[in-house]
Amino acid sequence: MAQLINVDDYRKRARRVLPRMVYDYLEGGAEAELLLDRNHRVLANIRLLPRRLRDVHKRDQRIELFGRQQSAPFLIGPTGLNGAFRPEGDISLARAAARAGIPFTLSTPAQSTIEAVARGAGGDLWFQLYVVEKGLAKSLVGRALDAGYSTLVLTTDVPVNGKRERDMRNGFGVPFKLTPRMLADGALHPGWAWRFVRSGMPQLANFVTEDAANTQAQYAVMHRQMDASFDWDDLAWLRQLWPNTLLVKGILSPDDAARAVECGADGVIVSNHGGRQLDDLPSPLEVLPEIAARVACPVLVDSGYRRGSDVVKALALGASAVLLGRAPLYGLAARGERGVDEVLALLSSEIDTTMALIGAASINDLDSTFVLK
Ligand code: FNR
């Protein structure tokens, strides 16, 4: 069996063990998928400028974010349909995050309920909101508050679904359709198929409970038909509903970042949704410095982070923390919950090595002087 020593090794293992259409859902981007490459290329083109003869015999990668300590400067971001990779995938990810001392973000289209994840995992839990309909959003937000979630993440870059051509070609959607092709794909991946035969097909768990059993809403989430009329006034409405930390995800324009803060957001997440929505967007790092200079609140970032050195680059350019999308999912798909533990540990270890090699003993030391201009 091939060794697993970096995130890309876990990706390759995930590709081997998942049915093709499930792997394509995990890995794919919008349209020609140029942005997937751009996200990686922009990160790869940044050169770190090391500083020498600094005392780095002890290194500390802990950060404080929104008044809470975390053990590493990254967290698990929201991804829907985690149950397609492993049954109870959301709970596995949340438990691994809690063990690693970092937050986990539960997505609206999760396969475990808001309450089940709170009971089953603990740790610092964040909830990501897709607004399909405002009444339903209010109910989800109330449930997240009651269940003790610290942070609400409003995703703003899915007024409609991006054009994901891999999913279109594969006929991928929820509920899984048992087409002959799907059955053949499953037969070629018996480990995956056996787990799903035993546990049943993944469902959108947050919509199966009584107060949210609105079939129209379930249909809308499955087909990612959001309330495309949701605007800045609605953000102010959401702010009134949620007393804890509120973040706005999917921001790429400095003006929007400033407007989100004016509406009461505690922070913004600069993101192009991992290249899954519109292929023609900038990489978040191309806009991060301007956004970080414009707003006084924490600015988080995601899209394309696969190495500890990638995380260090974002922090040096002004990010407060990085959200991981696909990286922990590769671990989950490849080796279940322990695969998530391993991916999180290897990213921390790579961050530690990078900090030593550039002469930064703590995350607070990082700034743009560590980046070659
Ligand atoms: C996502 N993303 C996402 N974002 C969100 O706000 N709600 C969601 O339900 C999902 N679902 C989802 C599923 C899958 C399979 C992926 C890969 C991504 C986007 C995610 O939060 C994040 O922005 C990107 O994944 C970051 O890019 P990387 O780290 O995957 O390159």
Side-chain angles (χ1 to χ4, degrees):
M1 193 74 80
Q3 269 189 307
L4 299 165
I5 56 171
N6 60 38
V7 169
D8 201 50
D9 290 341
Y10 284 86
R11 181 190 63 76
K12 289 179 192 141
R13 178 76 61 89
R15 187 176 58 193
R16 227 183 46 228
V17 301
L18 291 175
R20 170 73 188 270
M21 65 169 65
V22 178
Y23 176 75
D24 277 351
Y25 162 72
L26 162 55
E27 190 60 13
E31 298 179 280
E33 302 192 338
L34 301 175
L35 191 52
L36 297 187
D37 183 48
R38 186 173 188 86
N39 284 339
H40 295 301
R41 218 161 5 91
V42 167
L43 273 163
N45 284 341
I46 293 169
R47 303 282 100 202
L48 288 168
L49 191 64
R51 312 293 296 280
R52 302 304 185 201
L53 298 176
R54 293 177 159 208
D55 179 357
V56 287
H57 85 285
K58 275 193 189 151
R59 293 160 315 266
D60 183 357
Q61 61 178 274
R62 286 173 303 173
I63 59 165
E64 192 183 308
L65 195 59
F66 306 112
R68 292 177 294 277
Q69 281 271 342
Q70 49 181 88
S71 309
F74 54 77
L75 59 119
I76 299 187
T79 52
L81 304 190
N82 292 331
F85 311 121
R86 287 270 170 156
E88 306 265 284
D90 297 296
I91 292 187
S92 289
L93 288 158
R95 279 204 212 115
R99 271 193 296 275
I102 58 167
F104 165 74
T105 316
L106 184 71
S107 152
T108 291
Q111 276 64 70
S112 298
T113 62
I114 293 171
E115 296 79 11
V117 172
R119 276 194 310 272
D124 184 7
L125 295 174
W126 297 12
F127 179 67
Q128 175 268 329
L129 182 68
Y130 278 138
V131 180
V132 174
E133 188 267 313
K134 279 171 74 184
L136 190 58
K138 189 173 174 188
S139 145
L140 292 171
V141 166
R143 286 170 56 191
L145 193 60
D146 290 345
Y149 285 60
S150 73
T151 303
L152 181 68
V153 175
L154 174 73
T155 297
T156 57
D157 52 10
V158 189
V160 299
N161 205 10
K163 187 171 177 240
R164 307 231 183 106
E165 298 185 0
R166 295 196 208 199
D167 292 351
M168 292 165 79
R169 285 187 213 288
N170 292 333
F172 181 84
V174 176
F176 287 148
K177 285 184 226 97
L178 286 178
T179 57
R181 191 163 155 206
M182 179 71 180
L183 289 171
D185 208 350
L188 290 171
H189 301 88
W192 180 92
W194 173 235
R195 277 191 289 275
F196 281 89
V197 168
R198 282 195 311 181
S199 68
M201 284 296 164
Q203 294 219 27
L204 298 181
N206 285 322
F207 300 92
V208 184
T209 57
E210 279 163 44
D211 66 332
N214 169 339
T215 41
Q216 227 177 336
Q218 284 187 43
Y219 178 88
V221 175
M222 283 170 190
H223 295 82
R224 307 179 93 234
Q225 290 170 356
M226 305 303 162
D227 175 357
S229 70
F230 197 91
D231 65 10
W232 294 108
D233 291 338
D234 296 312
L235 175 59
W237 165 82
L238 193 63
R239 175 70 284 184
Q240 299 303 314
L241 292 181
W242 181 259
N244 299 343
T245 307
L246 174 65
L247 305 181
V248 178
K249 175 170 183 276
I251 295 292
L252 288 168
S253 131
D255 287 346
D256 281 357
R259 184 101 191 246
V261 174
E262 269 166 41
C263 291
D266 300 296
V268 294
I269 302 173
V270 181
S271 168
N272 60 29
H273 211 105
R276 295 164 74 82
Q277 282 296 97
L278 183 64
D279 209 15
D280 310 86
L281 302 179
S283 150
L285 275 199
E286 295 174 288
V287 293
L288 173 75
E290 206 186 326
I291 291 178
R294 181 80 178 271
V295 292
C297 64
V299 176
L300 288 72
V301 71
D302 75 16
S303 300
Y305 289 79
R306 305 287 184 269
R307 289 266 179 195
S309 53
D310 295 340
V311 175
V312 170
K313 289 172 183 178
L315 299 173
L317 289 170
S320 299
V322 168
L323 281 77
L324 305 172
R326 293 177 183 85
L329 299 183
Y330 298 147
L332 178 70
R335 275 163 64 75
E337 194 165 319
R338 76 183 148 155
V340 186
D341 287 335
E342 289 163 1
V343 163
L344 299 178
L346 86 79
L347 284 169
S348 266
S349 158
E350 288 177 354
I351 289 172
D352 185 63
T353 306
T354 306
M355 288 171 70
L357 292 176
I358 64 172
S362 86
I363 298 295
N364 282 337
D365 291 346
L366 292 172
D367 61 22
S368 62
T369 63
F370 284 94
V371 172
L372 185 67
K373 304 277 180 306

